[in-house]
Amino acid sequence: MVLSAAISLLLYYKNKKNSEASTTVLKGMAALRFLSFFFILLFLLNIFFKHLQNETENPIVLLAIDNSSSIRSSADSAFVQGDFLNQLEKVRSKLGEKHTLKTVLFGSKAQTSDEKATFSEKETDLENLVNEVENNYSNQNIGALIVVSDGIYNKGSNPVYSAEKLGYPIYTVAMGDTNEIKDVLIQKVNHNQVAYAGNNFPVEVVVNAKKFAGKEVIVSLLEGGTEKSKQTLKIASDNFLSTCNFTLSASKVGVVRYTAKVSILDGEKNTANNSQPFVVEVIDNKEKILLLAVIPHPDVAAIKEAISDGTNYEVDYALTQDFTKPVKPYSLVIIHGYSAAQAQLIADCKNNLVPFWIINPAGPENLPGLKISGSLNRYNDSEPYIENSFGLFTISDDLKKFAKDLPAVKTFFGNYSIGNGSNNLINQRIGQIETENPILFFTESSGLKSAVFLGDGLWKWKFRDFAEHKNFNLFTELISKSVQYLSVKSDKSFFRVSAPKIINENTEIELGAEVYNKSYESVTDPDVTLVLTNSEDKKFNYTFSKTTSAYKLNIGVLPPGEYRYEASVKNNKELFVKQGVFAVKEVISEKINTVANHQLLYQLANRSNGKLFYPNELQKLEDDLLKSDKIKAITYSQISTSSLIDLKWLFWLILGLLSAEWFFRKRFLSI
């Protein structure tokens, strides 16, 4: 400041050129110079400022409302949907005056929403509510969680233990009726998701009866509206549980709807749970596998049993000299003991694009994807080991470990030359040396898959598996996964549509589509459209949205029923059409158990230092929350620093002072 004053005095009072100027003008210009120099010198001192900033975060109160349909299934459903919601809204408004209040609606999933509860969700998952609250509101000042529910959950696990990690009190409002009612219900239906046409498949119907000891009911299965089978069941106790076993025949191909029913007894208040629909996809036929052998061999029996262990395959076995049928109907041909005499079989497979698997060939000649030179009828005892880089399909870690313990098999001695495109699954270990010579490898040439197992003694692997594990699971895995890879038919069409076969009514339906040009390059230029037809022949039109290399369509949720779709695309002046069917399955979880579980709600509240209230105690809930000293605001303090040079307005002030001084000097001093 002294330096600024000295410079100003020297400039305007000690300078003789300014003697003619008035005192007022000199004082003014000296003041301007003093201020501009003063601020410039402050800049040069590089002064820092320290700021203390306080931020107050109000407590958040979460109001979670059970939006499932079981809430309105009680006798006081009119009260719940009317007066109770209105009273709850008043509590919500009152709490919102003091705290930040957020509403969460939950059923099968939980989401923050300002919408009114409709009690229409088909499932209840209280564990999902706890997880969503924890994920979405972590590190926030949550004062309390209010859960309005009947305590019934039919999805997820018990929420009591997971709720302990929230760390704030849970206040529960116990809805519904806890009184046990007289009821007979279908507890569960166990059935296959898939069945093959013409086959029989089992169905288990679990029947639960309460307070009907001594009564008889009829349990029946219907296909469409036609009764297929029924059983009479005598209820032995007041809390009765029994399973009825049925066998149904898959008579028609497609998605078939069935219904399990139990007769209604006098005095039942809830008859919505006396029937339960389910659907089964009936597939046209199994994949047919042809197993040929030059002579009977224990390997053949081991392979046949492993393949037949699955439900997806039907195995035809024959000696090569007796087989005269065409190979075209088969998805895979396995030839054991192959030699040049069976060359025509391989040629037939290639001509008909039928994959083949050669096991234990008689000689090293004419093997697809492999040349062995210098063999001269000499053999090695080769122990197997899994090739880690194999990636055509996955095998379990147990099988990878077990492969090291499998017995050695006889393989050809010689120099191995693997063709391009061959993939080794199992290699040979000679003594302690792990070679890259294969025991089992796969090849694909011109779209035709093939495999070769070089060893003699595959059956020993099966018995080693049983000796070690008392079952054949790992051996079956090796054979079945190899067969599955080889027999899967690749889709060569230019227009492909993927859609679910069976889906729950509360799940969004998503379809995918791919369009290829003649070079099998995916394209997304043309529009893909879809016409959906419901069981009442009403049609709905959709257009797929485009992604980088494919198409997708989200239809949303649909009512239960069977739907047919026809997707079409016009690419390069050619029309492609795909048709299909899927079924939307009704979810009846909320109808099975309608007895409220207030014990669960009490545990949730008690373990978190909260309280349980009933619907007529909402005023008490409001008072408790407003008076609670646990729900309070949190103030965060933050210290920050800034430099004087960061103040832009000061720069403009100095510039203004200097400009003004320059103007007055020009005006009054003529300098």
Side-chain angles (χ1 to χ4, degrees):
M1 184 178 292
V2 174
L3 181 60
S4 300
I7 292 172
S8 300
L9 289 173
L10 286 173
L11 183 62
Y12 287 102
Y13 289 96
K14 297 298 181 183
N15 192 343
K16 295 180 178 177
K17 294 180 180 178
N18 300 334
S19 58
E20 295 179 358
S22 68
T23 305
T24 305
V25 171
L26 288 176
K27 285 182 179 178
M29 288 191 293
L32 291 172
R33 175 57 61 98
F34 168 78
L35 290 173
S36 58
F37 265 68
F38 175 73
F39 289 126
I40 290 171
L41 289 173
L42 284 180
F43 272 143
L44 295 176
L45 290 175
N46 196 21
I47 295 174
F48 283 87
F49 296 100
K50 185 180 286 185
H51 306 278
L52 177 63
Q53 188 173 9
N54 293 325
E55 185 176 342
T56 301
E57 182 181 349
N58 284 328
I60 299 174
V61 174
L62 299 173
L63 173 61
I65 303 175
D66 187 342
N67 201 27
S68 65
S69 58
S70 65
I71 295 291
R72 55 179 166 83
S73 64
S74 59
D76 56 353
S77 61
F79 163 74
V80 171
Q81 298 178 81
D83 292 345
F84 175 76
L85 283 182
N86 293 334
Q87 293 172 21
L88 192 63
E89 182 59 28
K90 291 178 182 175
V91 173
R92 185 176 180 275
S93 301
K94 200 68 178 177
L95 292 175
E97 294 175 359
K98 187 177 180 182
H99 310 305
T100 300
L101 200 137
K102 293 183 180 294
T103 303
V104 179
L105 298 180
F106 69 94
S108 58
K109 293 180 180 177
Q111 59 180 359
T112 303
S113 174
D114 291 329
E115 295 180 3
K116 197 173 181 180
T118 57
F119 306 117
S120 57
E121 291 276 345
K122 300 295 182 180
E123 293 173 301
T124 308
D125 189 347
L126 281 164
E127 184 190 23
N128 177 263
L129 167 68
V130 173
N131 292 335
E132 287 295 313
V133 166
E134 185 190 18
N135 294 335
N136 296 335
Y137 296 97
S138 61
N139 300 321
Q140 297 188 43
N141 181 23
I142 305 298
L145 169 65
I146 307 169
V147 178
V148 180
S149 174
D150 54 14
I152 301 171
Y153 67 94
N154 39 51
K155 191 177 180 183
S157 57
N158 191 317
V160 170
Y161 300 104
S162 56
E164 290 179 348
K165 60 189 176 185
L166 293 179
Y168 40 81
I170 299 176
Y171 295 82
T172 54
V173 179
M175 309 293 293
D177 191 351
T178 57
N179 290 324
E180 199 80 57
I181 60 173
K182 297 175 75 173
D183 197 12
V184 180
L185 60 112
I186 302 291
Q187 182 82 39
K188 189 178 182 183
V189 180
N190 299 316
H191 60 91
N192 293 350
Q193 295 294 326
V194 176
Y196 290 94
N199 285 8
N200 295 329
F201 62 93
V203 177
E204 291 182 351
V205 180
V206 181
V207 178
N208 185 208
K210 297 168 184 173
K211 297 186 176 181
F212 277 116
K215 298 287 185 180
E216 284 188 350
V217 290
I218 296 175
V219 183
S220 55
L221 286 181
L222 291 80
E223 179 183 334
T226 307
E227 185 177 273
K228 290 294 182 182
S229 183
K230 67 178 180 180
Q231 294 180 19
T232 300
L233 189 65
K234 184 165 185 178
I235 301 171
S237 65
D238 274 341
N239 192 8
F240 179 73
L241 188 70
S242 182
T243 300
C244 298
N245 295 299
F246 295 90
T247 301
L248 291 177
S249 176
S251 55
K252 64 179 183 180
V253 177
V255 178
V256 183
R257 296 176 61 84
Y258 297 94
T259 304
K261 290 183 67 174
V262 59
S263 54
I264 298 172
L265 294 178
D266 290 339
E268 274 195 82
K269 292 183 179 178
N270 179 15
T271 58
N273 54 19
N274 284 59
S275 64
Q276 192 169 135
F278 62 97
V279 294
V280 176
E281 183 185 3
V282 180
I283 298 175
D284 193 5
N285 53 28
K286 296 182 179 181
E287 297 284 345
K288 297 185 70 174
I289 308 295
L290 175 61
L291 176 58
L292 297 174
V294 176
I295 57 172
H297 193 285
D299 281 356
V300 176
I303 296 167
K304 185 178 179 182
E305 289 176 8
I307 299 173
S308 301
D309 196 46
T311 57
N312 298 340
Y313 303 107
E314 179 182 332
V315 182
D316 285 351
Y317 167 70
L319 294 174
T320 52
Q321 59 270 28
D322 298 334
F323 182 75
T324 56
K325 298 179 182 176
V327 298
K328 191 172 183 177
Y330 296 97
S331 300
L332 173 65
V333 175
I334 302 174
I335 306 172
H336 187 274
Y338 166 78
S339 68
Q342 287 82 45
Q344 186 56 46
L345 272 172
I346 299 298
D348 289 345
C349 289
K350 290 180 177 177
N351 291 336
N352 292 285
L353 290 177
V354 176
F356 60 91
W357 186 5
I358 294 172
I359 296 178
N360 189 19
E365 303 86 11
N366 300 320
L367 298 176
L370 177 65
K371 288 184 179 179
I372 305 175
S373 59
S375 177
L376 300 175
N377 296 325
R378 296 167 63 189
Y379 298 91
N380 280 325
D381 284 332
S382 302
E383 295 178 344
Y385 78 92
I386 299 294
E387 171 59 54
N388 291 328
S389 62
F390 181 79
L392 295 180
F393 54 86
T394 58
I395 59 174
S396 66
D397 291 339
D398 289 340
L399 178 55
K400 290 178 182 176
K401 294 176 184 174
F402 181 57
K404 299 174 182 176
D405 301 325
L406 290 171
V409 293
K410 284 191 178 301
T411 57
F412 299 110
F413 173 83
N415 297 318
Y416 285 64
S417 177
I418 307 292
N420 292 332
S422 295
N423 289 274
N424 297 4
L425 173 59
I426 301 176
N427 283 341
Q428 300 177 18
R429 183 172 63 232
I430 311 297
Q432 298 298 318
I433 301 175
E434 292 186 345
T435 73
E436 294 184 352
N437 298 338
I439 291 178
L440 174 60
F441 68 98
F442 298 83
T443 303
E444 183 167 356
S445 176
S446 302
L448 178 65
K449 298 175 186 174
S450 61
V452 177
F453 183 89
L454 287 171
D456 179 12
L458 184 60
W459 62 273
K460 298 176 187 175
W461 293 7
K462 178 179 179 180
F463 285 93
R464 174 59 65 87
D465 188 16
F466 186 80
E468 296 286 336
H469 309 109
K470 305 302 178 189
N471 58 53
F472 306 115
N473 292 347
L474 296 180
F475 178 80
T476 301
E477 179 187 341
L478 175 65
I479 300 300
S480 62
K481 290 209 168 182
S482 299
V483 168
Q484 183 181 1
Y485 166 73
L486 291 168
S487 61
V488 167
K489 295 173 183 174
S490 56
D491 189 351
K492 297 295 183 183
S493 62
F494 296 105
F495 180 41
R496 306 169 191 176
V497 176
S498 58
K501 291 290 186 182
I502 302 169
I503 194 164
N504 289 337
E505 63 171 314
N506 59 346
T507 304
E508 292 187 344
I509 300 168
E510 293 185 350
L511 292 87
E514 297 172 36
V515 180
Y516 295 88
N517 60 22
K518 296 297 182 183
S519 301
Y520 278 107
E521 298 168 330
S522 63
V523 296
T524 56
D525 295 329
D527 289 332
V528 177
T529 58
L530 181 135
V531 179
L532 186 71
T533 306
N534 66 13
S535 53
E536 297 172 350
D537 284 335
K538 289 185 178 178
K539 298 183 185 300
F540 306 89
N541 296 307
Y542 300 91
T543 300
F544 282 72
S545 58
K546 299 174 183 178
T547 64
T548 306
S549 57
Y551 299 80
K552 66 178 182 180
L553 174 63
N554 187 330
I555 296 178
V557 295
L558 292 174
E562 185 174 303
Y563 295 83
R564 304 187 306 278
Y565 66 85
E566 181 177 292
S568 59
V569 62
K570 193 171 185 179
N571 187 30
N572 198 22
K573 299 181 180 179
E574 190 172 357
L575 181 65
F576 299 94
V577 177
K578 288 285 184 182
Q579 297 176 327
V581 178
F582 63 82
V584 178
K585 189 170 66 173
E586 183 181 5
V587 177
I588 61 166
S589 303
E590 293 291 316
K591 298 178 181 175
I592 293 176
N593 180 19
T594 57
V595 179
N597 186 354
H598 289 179
Q599 180 62 29
L600 176 81
L601 299 174
Y602 172 77
Q603 289 179 322
L604 276 174
N606 189 46
R607 284 172 176 260
S608 63
N609 295 320
K611 284 184 180 179
L612 181 143
F613 297 88
Y614 290 97
N616 58 355
E617 297 176 323
L618 290 182
Q619 187 60 50
K620 287 184 180 178
L621 169 67
E622 178 187 314
D623 294 342
D624 269 31
L625 289 172
L626 290 174
K627 294 175 182 175
S628 175
D629 56 359
K630 298 175 184 175
I631 307 173
K632 52 190 176 184
I634 296 177
T635 301
Y636 301 95
S637 297
Q638 187 175 6
I639 298 175
S640 60
T641 58
S642 63
S643 172
L644 184 66
I645 203 167
D646 293 332
L647 301 177
K648 294 180 180 178
W649 64 267
L650 194 54
F651 167 78
W652 293 109
L653 176 62
I654 294 171
L655 184 62
L657 292 170
L658 293 172
S659 300
E661 183 195 356
W662 176 83
F663 172 78
F664 287 123
R665 290 186 65 176
K666 285 289 185 184
R667 175 71 177 80
F668 297 106
L669 302 181
S670 301
I671 296 175

